[in-house]
Amino acid sequence: MTEQSNDTTHSSHNHGQCIEQALSTAESLCAEHGQRLTKVRRRALELIWQSHRPLGAYQLLAKLSEEGFNSAPPTVYRALEFLLSAGLIHKVESMNAYLGCSHADKPHKGYFLICDECQNVMEFDYQDIHQSLINKAAEHGFQLRSETIELTGLCQRCQNSQNEGPRT
Ligand SMILES: [Zn+2]
Ligand SMILES: [Zn+2]
Ligand SMILES: [Zn+2]
């Protein structure tokens, strides 16, 4: 498993499983749609999945080039575009970074809980919110175009470590 222990997430879990799951979903989705999960696309997805902290395009570029991929910006951006359009990753606009999606097989908008402290991002699924936002906006004759909702705060783990107080 390629888990990085310093990149642990909001809650303790087997992150290797997250990565494995994401890659196998990606493979079956691509097969289903007759698309190719090329080496660079697959590796980009894997790198984005290294943690639940979104990864910036520049960081991704640096990692891929370290590994000897053709990491010319267009290659990397095309890979990102592919992953985005396949629904395998989301862009977290406020962080200008990319997050792996754990339920890529179900088309959805991105709703994110972003921890101010550890920068981990949790995706939550709340279609009702989206519909009522669309309705509210429509009351003002406004047509909503945003694809994501990004909320900031403190994750469970960071709350716990704050409650523990400073260790002396
Ligand atoms: Zn995980
Ligand atoms: Zn998602
Ligand atoms: Zn946190």
Side-chain angles (χ1 to χ4, degrees), residues 58-79:
Y58 185 78
Q59 291 163 281
L60 181 63
L61 215 124
K63 288 192 181 183
L64 285 171
S65 95
E66 253 173 49
E67 295 178 7
F69 279 93
N70 171 9
S71 59
T75 310
V76 176
Y77 282 104
R78 269 199 302 270

Side-chain angles (χ1 to χ4, degrees), residues 115-120 154-155 157-158:
C115 180
D116 286 329
E117 198 65 32
C118 65
Q119 264 80 54
N120 275 307
L154 264 191
C155 74
R157 170 178 286 201
C158 291

Side-chain angles (χ1 to χ4, degrees), residues 87 89-90 100-104 106 108-112 123:
I89 59 171
H90 294 289
C101 176
S102 47
H103 35 285
K106 302 182 205 88
H108 57 278
K109 309 281 180 192
Y111 303 88
F112 306 113
E123 194 177 351

